[in-house]
Each structure stands twice: as structure tokens, then as C-alpha cells.
Amino acid sequence: MIHAHLTIDPHFAVGPIDRRLFGSFVEHLGRCVYDGIYEPGHPRADEDGFRQDVIELVRELGVSTIRYPGGNFVSGYRWEDGVGPREERPRRLDLAWHSIETNEIGLDEFAVWLRKAGSDLMYAVNLGTRGVEAALDVLEYANIRSGTMLSDQRVANGTPEPHDIRMWCLGNEMDGPWQLGHGTAQDYAQLAGKTARAMRQIDPGLELVVCGSSGAGMPTFGEWERVVLQETYDEVDFISCHAYYEPHDGDLGSFLASAVDMDRFIDSVVATADHVKALRRSDKTISISFDEWNVWYQSRYHDVEKITDIETWPVAPRLLEDSYSVLDGVVVGSLLISLLRHADRVTSASLAQLVNVIAPIMTEPGGPAWRQTTFFPFSVTSALARGRTLELKLDGPAYDTALYGSVPLVDAVATHDAETSSTAVFLVNRSLDEEATVEIDAALLGAVEIGSVQTLHDADIHAANTLADPERVGLQANRTAHRDGGVVTVTLPPVSWTAITLV
């Protein structure tokens, strides 16, 4: 039996929790948009062709902000293709994913869907094959009320009110050789800086995200951030981080410790940003938008033979449709712990992606929509994490991993909402075969009672929800928790994620 102890003190906070930490990502990729959120012939489709069962699940998931329309897709995207009469919209080659884009859904339609889903829009502009002019055009179309050519075009297209998009991404993964328009850090930084300055001439209050590295393993990582921020520091508010995790060669111990890598990634980017801040003698602090993160079995995608004959490229093919296990869900829960632990600097994040494509929500054309295992830790954390993240003192045993060295067997984070006097504790047991008993010293919270205790666990860590069995895995009420004075004790099964509320 593993024994761990943590102390909660509401007087010591990491920082306030920005609701944008619980964002997601919709890209024109595979069946994320078409046959995902949009399926006009479906029995649950509404008058706009959007699946109401998907909207209900998105609302349950608790998604705050959604990044759109990419992703790799955006680096070849002409935003004008997706507005105006549908019958006049062109079909285009999507070079990023070897598909045909029909442009049935564009900015205006997606904004309609967002209102139904209760989420805000984070829009990405194309700095791969386009630049300043196209960014200014889509900003004018989206945010100016009327009286100009492009704003009046939006009104004529049936959207009289501006979309008022506040957060804009300046391209996507421009450090990656796979990206259309990829260049050096200096090339990208100069273009991003020009674009940011131009966009601010229309609206100085925009929040702008500059591209950081597409992964901590990139050969330019660190230097890319330094060069880009030195050029754009005064013009932007965020730098992006992207990270995906999967087990390699059966190394489940390292996979369960993926949050350690995320912690180090964030700390490295913060250090670089603050180095540039010091060099510039600036009073401004750059935040992180971790706008792509998830478990993604990329090796499966790379092993699939790609369609090279352009004449046979499909519309909305089944791409990246990972089926997630309990093990994967626990890792997603631990990554959420890492994001919360850095709430002082990570103030926006996007789980990639939302529907069908490496997603917490799956659909079948003409059929049901269901929750994957990764749905549960996200929805519960989004619902419970309020107020501020607290500094924790956590003591417990560690284990050795091949990738990250010695790692705690139990990881945790706590949040506290002063307005409601409620506290949430999120815990992960990384052990493959041992239970963990965790003592939570909550005396400094005052007289609290245990509220809900929910656990993601299964005797079969590879169990998953599928079309054939969409409710195989769900959250369990953890009945082991009890309070003795100011100490709450809970037992965590092996390979599990647990959320506890203290009220």
C-alpha cells in the first residue's frame, strides 16, 4: 500500500483560474466538423444542420473557448471560401490532411454553433500561405459592425451583429517542416509582428497568441521561443505550447508520468519568456496558451498509408479516431493537474480536439454520440475547478521511469473558491498495481464536509467506450473517503484519477 500526505492552505495560492483553461479545438480535419458537429441528415440535427446530441455533450463537457479552424488546416485556408451562399463556395484541396474541403461550414456558421454550445471563439489566421492583408480582412469581416465593404458583406450574408472575436492565433505550428509556409524563427517572427501591429490598428484590445514550438522535442525548441518573443514581445499577449503523449514500447510507467514532461515544458517556456522580459526591461508578462494538448497515438497515424492520388482524396475521411482507454483518461486527468498547477502563467488551453478526431466525444453518422474515457476528467475538472489554484505540500513515495527519472506515485492539485468556500482536490495514482491511501490535511479550511468523490478507474485499464458499448466505462462514486477531524483520507485504486470536493 502506498501512503501519501498533502496539506491544503487556502492562504497560499498559485494564481487565479482562467475559465479559458478549459478550452478545446475544432479543426477542419477528418470528421470533426462534417459528420461531427454538422450532419444535416441526422435525426437529431437542428434547423442549421447541427447535431443537438453533440451540442448537449459539449455543454456537459464544460468547454469555455474553442480554437478554430486549425491546426495545420489553417496554413492553407482562404477564409473567404467559407462565407456567403453555400452553393457558391468552392471545393478546395486540403494539403494538410489529404482531403477535400467543401467549405459548407465557415466562420458565420461556426459562430452560430458556438452560441448553441455556449462557448467562445478563438480564431486562427493563416500565416502559412497568407499574411497581413488576409488577417486584416477577416478581422474586419468578423468584428466591425457595419459601414465597410467586408462588414457589410457579413451583414448581407445574414449575420447583422459582429462576432466580436477577442482572441486571435497568429498562425499554427510555424516551426514545423510539415507546415505550409514553414520558415525560420526570424521569418515567422517578422511576419507575426507585422500582422499583430496591423491588427491592433483596427482594435488595440485584441488578445494575440504567437506560435511557440509545436513540441518540446523539436530541435529548435527554446531558441524558437527566444527569437520569436524578442521580435514580437510588445505586440502579443500569449505564446503557444503544443504537446501530445502516447505510450512507447509498452512503457506505461513513463506514459502515466506524462504530466512531468508537461510541467517541464511549461517551466522552460516561462523561463524563456521571462528572460526576454528581463532583456527588454519590460513590465509586461507573457502568458501561455497551451492550445493543443492531449493523448494522441501518433504512431498509429504515421503507420497508415496516406492517399497520394489527389483525384481520390475524400471528403471528411475517418482520421485520427483514437479509441481512448481508462489508462488514457487517467493521463488526461493528470495533464489537467499540470495545467492547473501553472494557473499563474497558463491562462488558456485547448484540448485537441473536440469531436471524433482524438476527441472526448465520438459520433456515428446517422447514429449515436458518446463519451470517451477522456471526457470524464475534463468535464469534472471544468465543473469543479473554481477560484484559485493552491500551493500544496505533497509527501509520498516515488518510482523510477525510463523517460523522466524519479516521479511521485501520487500527484495532486487543489483549487479553492473563496466566494463559496468550496475546495476541490484532484488526485492521480500512477501505480500499476498498488492502491494509494492519501491523507489530506484540510484543517486550515475550517469545518468542512466531504461532498462528492468521483473516480475514473477500471480493473481493465484498457477498457474503453465504443459504438458497440458506449457506456462500458464511467465515473465511480469513491466510497473510501472519510473525514476524521481536519483530516480527509481517501484510497485511490491503481491507475486512477479522483476528484474530491470539500464544502
Side-chain angles (χ1 to χ4, degrees), residues 40 46-47 49 94-95 119 155 162 206 226 311 369 386 401 440 459 485-486:
D46 64 16
E47 68 281 2
D94 172 13
L95 302 183
S119 301
V155 173
L206 298 177
R226 183 191 67 80
E311 299 297 333
R386 291 289 190 272
T401 67
I440 305 171

Side-chain angles (χ1 to χ4, degrees), residues 34-77:
Y34 308 115
D35 285 350
I37 69 172
Y38 179 73
E39 189 183 342
H42 192 275
R44 293 290 314 276
D46 64 16
E47 68 281 2
D48 296 309
F50 295 121
R51 288 186 56 156
Q52 297 176 78
D53 53 350
V54 172
I55 290 172
E56 290 164 4
L57 287 176
V58 171
R59 284 185 169 273
E60 180 185 338
L61 190 63
V63 173
S64 55
T65 304
I66 297 180
R67 181 170 173 251
Y68 173 87
N72 294 350
F73 170 79
V74 78
S75 291
Y77 183 52

Side-chain angles (χ1 to χ4, degrees), residues 445-463:
L445 294 173
V448 296
E449 298 293 334
I450 299 173
S452 61
V453 186
Q454 302 173 83
T455 292
L456 177 63
H457 167 73
D458 196 277
D460 178 6
I461 63 172
H462 300 294

Side-chain angles (χ1 to χ4, degrees), residues 132-213:
V132 177
E133 184 176 47
L136 290 177
D137 284 351
V138 68
L139 175 57
E140 178 186 328
Y141 182 91
N143 282 14
I144 301 301
R145 179 170 296 278
S146 62
T148 69
M149 184 185 77
L150 291 173
S151 62
D152 287 346
Q153 182 182 336
R154 186 200 69 246
V155 173
N157 288 338
T159 305
E161 293 298 315
H163 296 305
D164 193 28
I165 304 168
R166 306 316 305 162
M167 196 167 183
W168 295 75
C169 300
L170 302 173
N172 174 76
E173 292 187 352
M174 297 308 297
D175 64 321
W178 57 84
Q179 201 74 207
L180 284 173
H182 161 70
T184 67
Q186 190 62 44
D187 291 338
Y188 167 69
Q190 289 177 347
L191 177 58
K194 290 177 183 177
T195 305
R197 286 186 289 272
M199 293 177 73
R200 290 199 187 282
Q201 286 186 249
I202 292 179
D203 186 345
L206 298 177
E207 292 185 275
L208 303 179
V209 185
V210 74
C211 288
S213 295

Side-chain angles (χ1 to χ4, degrees), residues 331-371:
V331 171
V332 164
S334 73
L335 296 174
L336 284 161
I337 288 174
S338 174
L339 292 172
L340 283 170
R341 187 158 42 228
H342 295 88
D344 58 330
R345 296 302 289 269
V346 181
T347 56
S348 175
S350 303
L351 177 69
Q353 292 188 16
L354 185 60
V355 183
N356 287 329
V357 176
I358 54 171
I361 299 169
M362 296 298 294
T363 71
E364 185 66 16
W370 67 94
R371 306 166 188 83

